[in-house]
Amino acid sequence: MLDKVARTVVYCLSNQHERSYYLRGTMSTVTQQTPDLEVVKRRQQATWASGDYAEIASLIVLVAERLADAADLRAGTKVLDVATGSGNAAIAAARLGAEVVGVDYVPALLERARVRADAERLPVELVEGDAEAIPFADGSFDGVLSVFGAMFAPDHRRTAAELLRVTRPGGTIALASWTPEGFLGELFGTVSDHVPPPAGLVPAVAWGKERHLLGLFGEGVSWRHRRQTFTFRFASAHAFVETFVRFYGPTLKAVEAAGPALEQDLHALVQAWNRLPEGGPVAVPGEYLESVGTRA
């Protein structure tokens, strides 16, 4: 595994307000210009619509199941899954008996979620919408979830405000966010070494820091945080990289721009984090922050 002390720079593609340096779990910043967030959002939407994120989401279903259980969702309550993608958290909540709505700004992913929910005979309503402008009234939901979704919205404060707004007082907000110190933080950093992200955006992996959530939500939410690990398993490092380059929009677009050099670095990164003997199957631990809070 990469030496966390010697590591110089880790920061996330597409979400870089301040060029962010993570050293021993701390962050120092160099202030940069403020971006046009609407332009960034349109580009991100096109990125997530490329490839087929549903293929990646199918690998990490367990994270949504864990989060829905940790949130202690109650049957019959109203739950919203923000940036639902192909519906992992929405389906997990529906399986617990909640009345569920999933919202996302990529229509093709909503269609994949609809097919999955129908196949499992789970009543999930799926609505096109933006995490920064959720199309529901104040206090509409008893619980609001997001699994590796809301963290990628470019305007963090606006997104947090929307999550708060649609959650009733006393309701639950539950988030799963990749951490900057974990494998995905390193992956985003490797990508941005080759394809620098737009200047002026807060890194997405900041949502994987407890203090960042405190800064976003203030006293509006009392949090319980837990570091969790999801292990990515592939037949080889090559299969891992091939899957992410083919289906995961951010890496697909980055490799299109950067070429084989990025693929080689991603292969080396997977090997560095793999906890199994080299040359065979890989098991790569991906750390994320599980955050469950109660709205004041």
Side-chain angles (χ1 to χ4, degrees), residues 50 195 245 250-259 262:
S50 67
V195 184
V245 170
T251 44
L252 183 158
K253 290 296 186 183
V255 168
E256 284 180 356
L262 174 55

Side-chain angles (χ1 to χ4, degrees), residues 211-259:
R211 68 174 180 271
H212 185 66
L213 295 184
L214 180 61
L216 291 177
F217 291 90
E219 297 181 357
V221 179
S222 57
W223 292 105
R224 306 186 308 277
H225 300 289
R226 181 165 56 172
R227 299 272 165 154
Q228 295 273 36
T229 299
F230 174 81
T231 301
F232 292 94
R233 300 176 188 275
F234 287 86
S236 66
H238 174 77
F240 189 123
V241 173
E242 183 179 47
T243 298
F244 268 73
V245 170
R246 181 179 178 188
F247 296 116
Y248 191 56
T251 44
L252 183 158
K253 290 296 186 183
V255 168
E256 284 180 356

Side-chain angles (χ1 to χ4, degrees), residues 2 13 183-195 236-246 248 250-256 258-274 282 284:
L2 297 181
L13 87 158
F183 170 74
L184 267 295
E186 294 274 9
L187 183 147
F188 294 141
T190 298
V191 169
S192 48
D193 284 344
H194 290 263
V195 184
S236 66
H238 174 77
F240 189 123
V241 173
E242 183 179 47
T243 298
F244 268 73
V245 170
R246 181 179 178 188
Y248 191 56
T251 44
L252 183 158
K253 290 296 186 183
V255 168
E256 284 180 356
L262 174 55
E263 288 193 70
Q264 292 170 8
D265 283 355
L266 291 174
H267 188 277
L269 181 71
V270 172
Q271 293 285 28
W273 282 79
N274 176 29
V282 297
V284 178

Side-chain angles (χ1 to χ4, degrees), residues 60-139:
I60 57 174
V61 168
L62 179 60
V63 176
E65 299 291 341
R66 284 176 177 169
L67 185 68
D69 185 64
D72 198 22
L73 299 178
R74 311 296 172 86
T77 58
K78 295 182 177 180
V79 173
L80 176 68
D81 179 18
V82 176
T84 188
S86 55
N88 279 1
I91 289 170
R95 193 173 288 117
L96 298 180
E99 299 177 15
V100 184
V101 178
V103 62
D104 201 281
Y105 67 179
V106 179
L109 289 176
L110 289 174
E111 185 55 34
R112 292 294 292 273
R114 192 168 288 112
V115 170
R116 291 182 60 206
D118 288 348
E120 295 198 38
R121 299 183 180 181
L122 294 171
V124 176
E125 181 182 357
L126 294 158
V127 176
E128 188 173 347
D130 185 349
E132 296 179 359
I134 298 172
F136 293 98
D138 297 2

